[in-house]
Amino acid sequence: MSDLHRTVLITGASSGIGWQLAQDYANQGFVVYACGRSIKKLEALKASNENIVPLAFDITNREQVMMAFANIDVLPTLWILNAGDCEYIDDGVIDAALIERVLAVNVMGTVNVLEQVQTRLKPGHHVVVVSSIAGELALPRAESLWRFKSRHYVFNSNSQG
């Protein structure tokens, strides 16, 4: 990437893979829009590198996503949609509210962000949607099968046309 195109937006940057990606890209000289719900965690991330610009919002809230994207000064050329959530089912008992919460983040949250990204994409931009191998494996107590299979289906079913 040329120096003019060294801006990345990362959702889920307040912890885990997103936190590490934000640090790695910032250390390489990228301007990083680090997105997450916790402004406290994002400010701590920003303290580690001046290239990090925190954007605190909840991806399940379309209005918050829209407002956050309106605050982007330099258009990213790399969009990493990494935010995700995981809760566990105890004793094999389905909890519809739990599954609804997880799907709200992992599916609809991703859709909410993609809705804003799509109007900003230019030739040469890249979009990465991060998922998990947990969608391919049956794991004890993990409803993650639901969340990642659903995300995989939503974004791949239309492209296999």
Side-chain angles (χ1 to χ4, degrees):
M1 274 185 192
S2 74
D3 288 340
L4 295 175
H5 297 96
R6 294 181 59 87
T7 304
V8 59
L9 179 138
I10 303 170
T11 64
S14 59
S15 65
I17 293 169
W19 176 281
Q20 189 62 55
L21 285 170
Q23 289 183 324
D24 291 348
Y25 277 103
N27 288 337
Q28 293 176 40
F30 282 74
V31 171
V32 177
Y33 289 102
C35 307
R37 289 179 288 200
S38 171
I39 189 63
K40 196 176 210 176
K41 290 180 180 180
L42 294 173
E43 289 292 343
L45 180 61
K46 178 187 168 120
S48 72
N49 194 301
E50 64 185 21
N51 290 338
I52 294 175
V53 179
L55 286 177
F57 62 95
D58 183 341
I59 65 171
T60 66
N61 184 312
R62 289 178 68 209
E63 187 173 311
Q64 285 185 24
V65 175
M66 207 174 349
M67 289 172 40
F69 272 64
N71 289 320
I72 295 173
D73 295 327
V74 179
L75 192 64
T77 56
L78 176 59
W79 311 80
I80 302 176
L81 310 187
N82 170 70
D85 200 5
C86 180
E87 294 187 44
Y88 294 99
I89 294 174
D90 291 318
D91 302 318
V93 177
I94 297 297
D95 179 342
L98 177 152
I99 292 171
E100 185 174 28
R101 285 191 305 271
V102 171
L103 289 175
V105 173
N106 297 339
V107 177
M108 289 311 301
T110 303
V111 170
N112 292 341
V113 174
L114 280 171
E115 181 179 50
Q116 293 303 309
V117 169
Q118 73 183 350
T119 62
R120 293 163 170 83
L121 289 176
K122 306 284 184 222
H125 287 197
H126 300 278
V127 176
V128 177
V129 178
V130 178
S131 191
S132 170
I133 192 64
E136 304 299 324
L137 300 172
L139 301 171
R141 296 184 60 232
E143 52 55 67
S144 59
L145 174 66
W146 290 78
R147 71 182 174 160
F148 292 113
K149 283 285 189 188
S150 297
R151 182 189 274 182
H152 177 76
Y153 176 77
V154 168
F155 297 112
N156 288 328
S157 65
N158 293 328
S159 65
Q160 295 176 2

